[in-house]
Amino acid sequence: AQRVTQPEKLLSVFKGAPVELKCNYSYSGSPELFWYVQYSRQRLQLLLRHISRESIKGFTADLNKGETSFHLKKPFAQEEDSAMYYCALSGFQGAQKLVFGQGTRLTINP
Amino acid sequence: EADIYQTPRYLVIGTGKKITLECSQTMGHDKMYWYQQDPGMELHLIHYSYGVNSTEKGDLSSESTVSRIRTEHFPLTLESARPSHTSQYLCASSDTARWDTEAFFGQGTRLTVV
């Protein structure tokens, strides 16, 4: 079974502070992990994926298979980072359904 | 322009009515999904499809049904709407032929059953 857990529903940090959004997953096969973001009044969109090892808008995420985690990090938060963030999981090359965690609402305080 | 479209954006309907939420994509994607987004913003997978004539139920039990007769079209139907069906419904699609399998989302349909 595929399962994604985001333990924090709400996270509030000050501008310029580091941010870490936690994500843990459960999956017996080879996972593909993603972070999606939903800004106010915009569509849900992909932020980054583990397979490409990219940094988008200053965010990075490392897949830790030993801890089954895929935490999202940014060293210096900006006000425009305020949004709803979802961790998502599918099987290798999208072979399985795409399931999401519960989401974390990130608020950056000025 | 290649995109994924959902209609209507907003729908207010009475209890017992039959409704169909439309979802179409012009990206040639094989996989399509329906999610229900609750007031706390949690996303629940209710239906998905790997291609034409393929439909599967998701993790959240739903009284809705779906069909996939054409690649680009994935409508969701409620035979008899109830207030408990009030929610935001999101449609998405992805292409398993691509290595990155990014899912693209529509703007959503906000359904209110009174």
Side-chain angles (χ1 to χ4, degrees), chain B residues 68-80:
Chain B
R68 189 90 183 273
I69 298 171
R70 302 197 318 264
T71 299
E72 63 272 19
H73 195 212
F74 192 42
L76 181 145
T77 298
L78 278 165
E79 290 293 331
S80 179

Side-chain angles (χ1 to χ4, degrees), chain B residues 16-35:
Chain B
K17 299 290 186 185
K18 178 180 178 179
I19 57 169
T20 296
L21 307 185
E22 300 288 349
C23 177
S24 294
Q25 50 97 2
T26 56
M27 294 179 281
H29 288 170
D30 51 348
K31 291 180 79 170
M32 294 188 76
Y33 307 85
W34 275 104
Y35 294 88

Side-chain angles (χ1 to χ4, degrees), chain A residues 9 32 34 36 38 43-44 46 49 51-52 84 86 90 93-102 105, chain B residues 3-4 31 33 35 37 40-43 45 48 50 59 90 96 99-103 105-107:
Chain A
K9 291 202 76 169
E32 276 199 28
F34 309 84
Y36 282 79
Q38 190 170 28
R43 299 190 197 194
L44 191 61
L46 178 69
R49 69 208 90 183
I51 199 168
S52 55
M84 194 75 185
Y86 294 94
S90 74
Q93 289 188 329
Q96 299 294 323
K97 57 192 177 185
L98 181 64
V99 295
F100 286 80
Q102 301 90 327
R105 183 172 295 283
Chain B
D3 204 347
I4 180 165
K31 291 180 79 170
Y33 307 85
Y35 294 88
Q37 191 171 36
M41 301 296 281
E42 192 165 340
L43 278 173
L45 179 65
Y48 60 105
Y50 289 115
D59 299 326
L90 297 180
T96 47
W99 65 273
D100 56 4
T101 62
E102 174 181 356
F105 283 80
Q107 291 190 297

Side-chain angles (χ1 to χ4, degrees), chain A residues 71-90:
Chain A
H71 304 326
L72 183 68
K73 299 177 184 179
K74 184 170 182 176
F76 307 103
Q78 298 171 293
E79 288 185 64
E80 55 264 34
D81 296 330
S82 293
M84 194 75 185
Y85 290 81
Y86 294 94
C87 184
L89 163 72
S90 74

